[in-house]
Amino acid sequence: MPSKRSTSRPRHPAFRRRVLLVLGILALLLVAGAALVVQPFWRLTSQFDDITYRQPSRLYARATRLAAGDRVDADRLVADLKAQGYRAGTGLPIAPGHYLRERADKSDRSGLIVHLRSFPALGESGGGLVEARFAGERIAELLLNGHRAEAVLLEPPLLASYYGDDFKERRPVAVGEVPKDLINAVVAAEDGDFFRHSGISVTGIARAAWVDVRGRGIRQGGSTLTQQLVKNLYLTQERTVTRKLQEILLTLLLEARYGKKAILEAYLNEIYLGASSGVNVMGVGAASHAYFGKDVGDLDLGEAATLAGMISAPGIFSP
């Protein structure tokens, strides 16, 4: 009995090449389409450093120079220190941003101790403990950090700050200048898994989605610290599915392009922490000066906890 021939014919090599060509073109189109979608967002993340280190222009007066033998009005000097946010200390040692006035004794000798805040424009003269001993109205002895000094420069008075239309006060700081207590408190309060996730918390989004579904609307964000930064820098506060997708994409790009240290530093400099004299206080550096009159590196544990606790509701928890 004759065998039956197979009705299927072997595919011609040219056909396979055409199929591969079509698939290759489709893949290229998909890659190009994805690039067109991602490019604008990638360009936004390239502005990351410029955005997070903006600050107002400031005009300072000439720094006060103290020198041994100078005649000085101690009361005027104390008034100037108060005007710059320095506070009276209660005893030694005194923290940066504080002063201690020693009244004249029977021999008409008095003293003034000032723990200067750092002021980068003064170079090595910025910051430190200044002790001025007076004989009458003249400086009889001048010490800087316990060593005799011929002259010292005090922090110059701020005459004016020039803000943009948003009236935002910023004093950018490097993450290395921020006390560990403050970093731990912020991460614990806002995003305990910050150093373990890739920018998006799947469990947080699922939990928020469940709340939103039950509430029949977008009510909860489930945002990580990086997502909060993205919203503050690039997006509006509206709650729509499209904006949420934009937020997730930008968050992933930001995490891919920058490390955790850079993102944390930007967050600490950009977070809103209330208002002072009609100006919005942005970041822990500005908040340290506005609320405690000191550099962020000089905050104690209680002050660090206060700033971290303010993030969720600055108007309610402002000191």
Side-chain angles (χ1 to χ4, degrees):
M1 189 175 179
S3 60
K4 293 182 179 180
R5 282 186 182 178
S6 174
T7 56
S8 62
R9 296 180 180 178
R11 295 184 183 274
H12 196 278
F15 176 78
R16 285 197 294 268
R17 285 197 295 269
R18 284 197 295 270
V19 171
L20 292 175
L21 179 61
V22 170
L23 292 176
I25 292 173
L26 289 175
L28 287 174
L29 289 174
L30 287 173
V31 171
L36 288 174
V37 172
V38 171
Q39 185 191 27
F41 294 95
W42 187 263
R43 197 182 307 121
L44 275 177
T45 62
S46 70
Q47 304 168 7
F48 181 68
D49 293 332
D50 293 336
I51 290 174
T52 56
Y53 286 99
R54 291 176 301 183
Q55 59 179 311
S57 298
R58 307 181 202 278
L59 177 64
Y60 290 92
R62 184 173 60 183
T64 298
R65 181 178 183 273
L66 300 181
D70 283 356
R71 184 185 295 274
V72 175
D73 184 342
D75 291 332
R76 175 66 181 274
L77 188 58
V78 168
D80 290 343
L81 290 170
K82 287 182 177 179
Q84 295 179 67
Y86 281 78
R87 303 182 181 188
T90 56
L92 294 174
I94 58 174
H98 289 72
Y99 66 90
L100 190 64
R101 179 79 182 275
E102 298 175 342
R103 295 294 179 179
D105 56 19
K106 293 181 179 179
S107 61
D108 200 24
R109 289 186 172 272
S110 59
L112 177 66
I113 303 174
V114 184
H115 200 156
L116 296 176
R117 299 178 295 225
S118 61
F119 191 80
L122 295 180
E124 295 181 358
S125 298
L129 190 68
V130 174
E131 300 176 63
R133 306 296 175 188
F134 294 92
E137 294 184 350
R138 292 190 179 276
I139 298 178
E141 185 180 30
L142 191 63
L143 303 176
L144 177 62
N145 295 325
H147 302 285
R148 190 180 299 275
E150 292 298 322
V152 297
L153 291 176
L154 303 184
E155 182 180 343
L158 177 64
L159 299 180
S161 295
Y162 299 93
Y163 302 99
D165 296 335
D166 52 7
F167 284 94
K168 290 182 178 180
E169 169 67 8
R170 287 183 169 92
R171 290 178 182 265
V173 295
V175 71
E177 301 173 48
V178 182
K180 195 68 176 177
D181 288 332
L182 179 54
I183 292 176
N184 291 338
V186 169
V187 171
E190 296 300 308
D191 185 0
D193 293 325
F194 172 68
F195 291 104
R196 292 187 290 272
H197 62 59
S198 60
I200 303 295
S201 171
V202 177
T203 56
I205 291 176
R207 182 174 60 251
W210 174 246
V211 172
D212 295 337
V213 168
R214 292 182 63 187
R216 295 184 179 181
I218 299 178
R219 300 187 178 189
Q220 195 175 52
S223 297
T224 64
L225 187 149
T226 312
Q227 286 175 271
Q228 292 180 46
L229 178 62
V230 164
K231 284 189 289 188
N232 290 338
L233 291 181
Y234 304 116
L235 302 174
T236 65
Q237 297 299 318
E238 65 174 335
R239 297 191 172 190
T240 63
V241 174
T242 301
R243 196 211 59 83
K244 193 67 178 178
L245 292 175
Q246 292 174 334
E247 174 190 311
I248 291 173
L249 178 57
L250 274 169
T251 296
L252 294 175
L253 289 175
L254 208 62
E255 286 271 352
R257 189 162 189 174
Y258 300 91
K260 291 289 186 181
K261 179 181 177 181
I263 291 172
L264 177 61
E265 184 171 290
Y267 181 86
L268 293 172
N269 283 317
E270 187 62 25
I271 191 67
Y272 171 70
L273 286 167
S276 177
S277 302
V279 177
N280 295 314
V281 178
M282 308 300 294
V284 296
S288 298
H289 276 261
Y291 300 125
F292 304 113
K294 60 175 67 175
D295 296 327
V296 67
D298 299 316
L299 294 176
D300 60 31
L301 177 59
E303 293 162 344
T306 299
L307 292 187
M310 286 176 61
I311 295 174
S312 60
I316 296 175
F317 300 126
S318 171

